[in-house]
Amino acid sequence: MKVLVPVKRVVDYNVKVRVKSDGTGVDIANVKMSMNPFDEIAVEEAVRLREKGVVTEVIAVSCGVTQCTETLRTAMAIGADRAILVETDAELQPLAVAKILKALAEKEGPHLFIMGKQAIDDDSNQTGQMLAALLDWPQATFASKVEMTADTVNVTREVDGGLETLALQLPAVVTTDLRLNEPRYVTLPNIMKAKKKTVDTFKPEDLGVDVTPRLKTLKVVEPAKRSAGIKVPDVATLVDKLKNEAKVLG
């Protein structure tokens, strides 16, 4: 049983992102980069399934610049067996990534994709769904629990009204939510072992995929600064301010 886990290199979640002065994007020069937290959860879940004996191989996949190799090494330090880098300097949008993953699925023949529900940089929450559509595989999004057998995967997912449990026939696509697990701490011995594991490198054209962007970012701006809250002495003052200052009451 083979599992593919896509991982994305993003600005670390602890970093306060700054918008470029010309509004063309965010400044990532000399900024700490890390694995997307949802993808880290996906790697952890795939490794746990292998430790339970239901999965035999975990393959981490990343698409992007050469430095994505560092993200793949982190995935292998968590426990992935090997890695694949699809190297490109082009801006990769969700559909392009989904097409690359589809090509890798045809090449590797995995039984399952486990991937983060979204990346914290663009928050698109599209790649998993697009991949499932391209492959015509069943999908379960926002997984908070995953249980596998030889030919099915049962996924408990978070929905507005509570929890929903789906039974999918393999092969399938699963996207992970925050409460699925807590990724393990990566130890130094495992980091050293990861350096010896294999990273295969391809270009999008090697896989026959066109990654030309379909969307154009017109402008990036910081959110408006919020004014500080105030305390009011009584309900009458509150109603007066909501009516006359905030204009939210008629």
Side-chain angles (χ1 to χ4, degrees):
M1 177 102 47
K2 188 185 290 188
V3 176
L4 253 62
V5 186
V7 295
K8 186 176 184 181
R9 179 176 181 263
V10 300
V11 175
D12 189 88
Y13 68 92
N14 288 310
V15 173
K16 186 178 184 338
V17 176
R18 297 186 304 274
V19 174
K20 292 180 180 177
S21 58
D22 59 2
T24 57
V26 296
D27 186 6
I28 59 171
N30 302 314
V31 169
K32 182 183 178 184
M33 307 292 282
S34 301
M35 185 190 302
N36 179 47
F38 290 103
D39 298 342
E40 196 172 355
I41 291 168
V43 176
E44 174 67 28
E45 191 65 22
V47 171
R48 289 187 187 188
L49 290 171
R50 192 195 60 211
E51 290 170 348
K52 290 177 183 175
V54 292
V55 167
T56 54
E57 186 178 25
V58 176
I59 306 167
V61 180
S62 193
C63 309
V65 295
T66 308
Q67 291 89 331
C68 290
T69 305
E70 300 165 13
T71 309
L72 291 171
R73 294 288 180 201
T74 302
M76 290 188 289
I78 294 172
D81 298 291
R82 59 187 176 93
I84 298 171
L85 171 63
V86 181
E87 189 177 354
T88 177
D89 292 326
E91 177 197 352
L92 291 176
Q93 295 175 350
L95 181 59
V97 176
K99 287 180 177 179
I100 289 171
L101 296 176
K102 175 179 182 284
L104 288 175
E106 292 167 350
K107 182 180 179 64
E108 291 286 342
H111 299 81
L112 183 66
F113 271 94
I114 302 181
M115 55 206 299
K117 69 172 184 177
Q118 65 194 74
I120 62 171
D121 52 0
D122 57 18
D123 274 334
S124 292
N125 184 13
Q126 294 176 333
T127 307
Q129 293 89 326
M130 288 177 169
L131 175 61
L134 291 172
L135 289 170
D136 196 23
W137 287 7
Q139 63 174 308
T141 54
F142 315 138
S144 60
K145 186 177 180 182
V146 175
E147 296 174 316
M148 284 188 70
T149 63
D151 55 357
T152 62
V153 55
N154 293 329
V155 177
T156 301
R157 58 189 300 269
E158 299 183 357
V159 295
D160 291 341
L163 299 176
E164 176 183 63
T165 302
L166 301 177
L168 310 180
Q169 289 291 323
L170 296 177
V173 176
V174 174
T175 71
T176 61
D177 214 332
L178 276 176
R179 280 163 287 280
L180 178 58
N181 62 52
E182 186 174 334
R184 68 194 68 188
Y185 177 76
V186 178
T187 61
L188 183 59
N190 286 338
I191 292 172
M192 301 306 293
K193 288 177 187 174
K195 292 182 178 179
K196 299 178 182 178
K197 293 182 180 179
T198 306
V199 178
D200 297 320
T201 304
F202 301 97
K203 300 281 187 184
E205 49 269 28
D206 297 337
L207 302 170
V209 177
D210 177 15
V211 295
T212 305
R214 304 288 190 91
L215 307 173
K216 182 180 179 182
T217 301
L218 299 180
K219 192 176 182 183
V220 177
V221 295
E222 288 191 11
K225 286 186 168 55
R226 297 174 61 182
S227 57
I230 60 170
K231 291 183 178 179
V232 293
D234 50 45
V235 174
T237 308
L238 173 63
V239 172
D240 178 66
K241 287 186 176 294
L242 289 175
K243 182 183 289 186
N244 300 315
E245 292 183 21
K247 308 288 187 187
V248 295
L249 292 180

